[in-house]
Amino acid sequence: MTFRVEALRMRLGVCLFLLTGVLLAHSGAVGAVALAAAVAATTAVAGALLTCAVLASRGRIPVPAGRIRTAIRDRERRTAFLPQRDPDAAGRPRPRAPGRRPPTAA
């Protein structure tokens, strides 16, 4: 896990470095300052997100299987579910398609 995180950080740093070089070549002094601030902010946010992801993946607490079964059973009891009826069951009339009205007596 640590090797993958380090590899990701290195690739991100290389991409930001190359992007900074390209944008600095095409901008003036004011643009360079703005670009440096934008790159620093992007790097900070990416580092914060990466840190949060790593900490969240480490902090999993195993839950016993009994608690999961109980939670599923409780949710099933709370769910409002109407039983479905089989339209092809014996004794049920077949649904009819809408059609023309029969001619009425004059």
Side-chain angles (χ1 to χ4, degrees):
M1 178 72 182
T2 306
F3 176 72
R4 292 174 64 192
V5 171
E6 291 299 323
L8 180 65
R9 285 178 64 191
M10 188 168 70
R11 287 182 185 147
L12 181 65
V14 169
C15 288
L16 287 174
F17 180 74
L18 292 175
L19 178 67
T20 304
V22 168
L23 292 177
L24 278 176
H26 297 291
S27 64
V30 176
V33 172
L35 179 66
V39 168
T42 303
T43 305
V45 169
L49 287 174
L50 186 63
T51 304
C52 287
V54 168
L55 290 177
S57 67
R58 288 183 185 173
R60 293 190 181 170
I61 300 172
V63 179
R67 284 184 66 186
I68 294 173
R69 280 193 305 266
T70 303
I72 292 173
R73 186 173 53 243
D74 290 345
R75 185 179 305 141
E76 180 182 334
R77 288 179 184 162
R78 287 191 311 261
T79 304
F81 178 74
L82 298 173
Q84 302 293 315
R85 301 189 191 276
D86 183 13
D88 295 328
R92 293 188 58 89
R94 292 286 300 156
R96 300 285 178 202
R100 291 184 290 169
R101 291 184 179 172
T104 56

